[in-house]
């Protein structure tokens, strides 16, 4: 009886060990596949936000700026035919404002217009907002996108319109819209930094884009789900 029990324990231990190893192997393979897919998405977005393709353009250089735990990545994109710079693709998170569920991460394309830069296009790289509400920021032609595409970045106020800003909030999604605006602000700061034109707020120690709003909002005071407070447009 003891021998039989011992054998059962040994067999169970072996099965458990092998299962754990297989799970770890699968997780590792999945992790690598996800990382590769995410990188391919980012690479494609760099060209898309500047209305070009990898067949026509290439990444001249990549630079990264760390602000605390957050990274802003700036890619200079050039034309293959003559090496002329097309613009700058900036990957940036919402640093000072979180979305309803998490930080928003955008890829923003800046095309230089004299001494200024025009926002050519915006791609949402990462968001976990409420489907049908904040997640609508991923839909082409949404109100947030329309608020900035084709506009000179220096003329924007990086908050929603009901707070005096330039961004038309998504219906019922003020929190998400604030985060989107802040991510665009972070991207503009990244562009200015790459160009050596970033102004520094010496009092707070934070880098801010010229003309950008530095107003802070306490998202913790807004704990109810978006669009569930009775008045959909006024969370």
């Amino acid at each position: 009886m003891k021998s039989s029990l011992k054998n059962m324990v040994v067999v169970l231990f072996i099965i458990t060990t092998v299962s754990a190893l297989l799970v770890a192997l699968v997780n590792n393979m999945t992790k690598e596949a996800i990382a590769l897919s995410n990188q391919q998405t980012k690479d494609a977005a760099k060209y898309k936000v500047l209305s070009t393709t990898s067949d026509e353009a290439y990444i001249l250089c990549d630079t990264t700026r760390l602000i605390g735990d957050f990274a802003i990545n700036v890619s200079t994109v050039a034309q293959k035919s003559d090496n002329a710079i097309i613009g700058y693709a900036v990957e940036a998170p919402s640093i000072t404002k979180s979305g309803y569920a998490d930080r928003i991460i955008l890829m923003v394309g800046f095309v230089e217009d004299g001494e200024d830069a025009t926002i050519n296009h915006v791609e949402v790289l990462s968001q976990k907002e409420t489907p049908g509400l904040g997640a609508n920021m991923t839909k082409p032609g949404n109100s947030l996108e329309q608020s900035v595409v084709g506009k000179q970045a220096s003329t924007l106020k990086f908050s929603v319109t009901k707070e005096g800003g330039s961004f038309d909030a998504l219906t019922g999604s003020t929190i998400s819209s604030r985060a989107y605006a802040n991510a665009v602000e972070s991207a503009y700061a990244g562009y200015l930094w790459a160009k050596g034109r970033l102004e520094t707020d010496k009092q707070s120690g934070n880098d801010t884009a010229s003309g950008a709003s530095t107003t802070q909002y306490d998202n913790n005071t807004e704990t109810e789900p978006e669009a569930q407070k009775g008045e959909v447009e006024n969370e």
Side-chain angles (χ1 to χ4, degrees), residues 8-23:
M8 290 176 61
V9 170
V10 171
V11 171
L12 181 60
F13 175 77
I14 293 174
I15 292 175
T16 302
T17 301
V18 171
S19 298
L21 290 173
L22 289 174
V23 170

Side-chain angles (χ1 to χ4, degrees), residues 114-126:
E115 295 184 357
D116 206 342
T118 298
I119 295 179
N120 186 69
H121 187 58
V122 179
E123 279 287 302
V124 179
L125 296 180
S126 177

Side-chain angles (χ1 to χ4, degrees), residues 74-101:
V74 183
S75 298
T76 304
V77 181
Q79 194 78 26
K80 285 184 177 179
S81 59
D82 57 6
N83 297 318
I85 293 177
I86 298 172
Y88 301 83
V90 185
E91 176 191 350
S94 55
I95 294 177
T96 63
K97 300 176 183 66
S98 178
Y100 178 70

Side-chain angles (χ1 to χ4, degrees), residues 45 113-114 120 122 132 155 202 207:
D113 179 15
N120 186 69
V122 179
T155 66
K202 297 184 183 302
D207 293 327

Side-chain angles (χ1 to χ4, degrees), residues 54-113:
S54 58
D55 293 332
E56 302 172 340
Y58 68 99
I59 306 300
L60 181 63
C61 66
D62 284 308
T63 54
T64 300
R65 177 71 181 271
L66 293 177
I67 300 179
D69 295 330
F70 301 99
I72 298 178
N73 302 305
V74 183
S75 298
T76 304
V77 181
Q79 194 78 26
K80 285 184 177 179
S81 59
D82 57 6
N83 297 318
I85 293 177
I86 298 172
Y88 301 83
V90 185
E91 176 191 350
S94 55
I95 294 177
T96 63
K97 300 176 183 66
S98 178
Y100 178 70
D102 202 350
R103 303 283 173 182
I104 307 298
I105 301 177
L106 303 178
M107 185 74 75
V108 184
F110 295 91
V111 176
E112 293 188 328
D113 179 15

Side-chain angles (χ1 to χ4, degrees), residues 59-213:
I59 306 300
L60 181 63
C61 66
D62 284 308
T63 54
T64 300
R65 177 71 181 271
L66 293 177
I67 300 179
D69 295 330
F70 301 99
I72 298 178
N73 302 305
V74 183
S75 298
T76 304
V77 181
Q79 194 78 26
K80 285 184 177 179
S81 59
D82 57 6
N83 297 318
I85 293 177
I86 298 172
Y88 301 83
V90 185
E91 176 191 350
S94 55
I95 294 177
T96 63
K97 300 176 183 66
S98 178
Y100 178 70
D102 202 350
R103 303 283 173 182
I104 307 298
I105 301 177
L106 303 178
M107 185 74 75
V108 184
F110 295 91
V111 176
E112 293 188 328
D113 179 15
E115 295 184 357
D116 206 342
T118 298
I119 295 179
N120 186 69
H121 187 58
V122 179
E123 279 287 302
V124 179
L125 296 180
S126 177
Q127 60 81 30
K128 297 178 181 178
E129 304 306 283
T130 308
L133 294 170
N136 285 337
M137 66 175 64
T138 63
K139 292 186 176 181
N142 66 78
S143 61
L144 292 169
E145 182 181 287
Q146 291 182 350
S147 298
V148 297
V149 170
K151 305 289 179 63
Q152 289 187 327
S154 64
T155 66
L156 297 174
K157 295 181 179 179
F158 298 94
S159 57
V160 295
T161 53
K162 72 177 184 179
E163 292 160 355
S166 303
F167 291 72
D168 291 327
L170 298 168
T171 301
S173 305
T174 302
I175 297 174
S176 302
S177 299
R178 285 173 179 163
Y180 184 102
N182 183 239
V184 175
E185 179 181 17
S186 299
Y188 184 41
Y191 161 77
L192 292 176
W193 161 69
K195 298 293 293 183
R197 293 164 47 196
L198 185 67
E199 293 183 4
T200 300
D201 180 352
K202 297 184 183 302
Q203 290 184 341
S204 65
N206 295 323
D207 293 327
T208 57
S210 300
S213 169

Side-chain angles (χ1 to χ4, degrees), residues 39-52:
Q39 188 57 54
Q40 291 174 337
T41 298
K42 290 180 182 180
D43 291 342
K46 291 177 182 180
Y47 296 107
K48 186 174 181 180
V49 296
L50 293 172
S51 302
T52 188

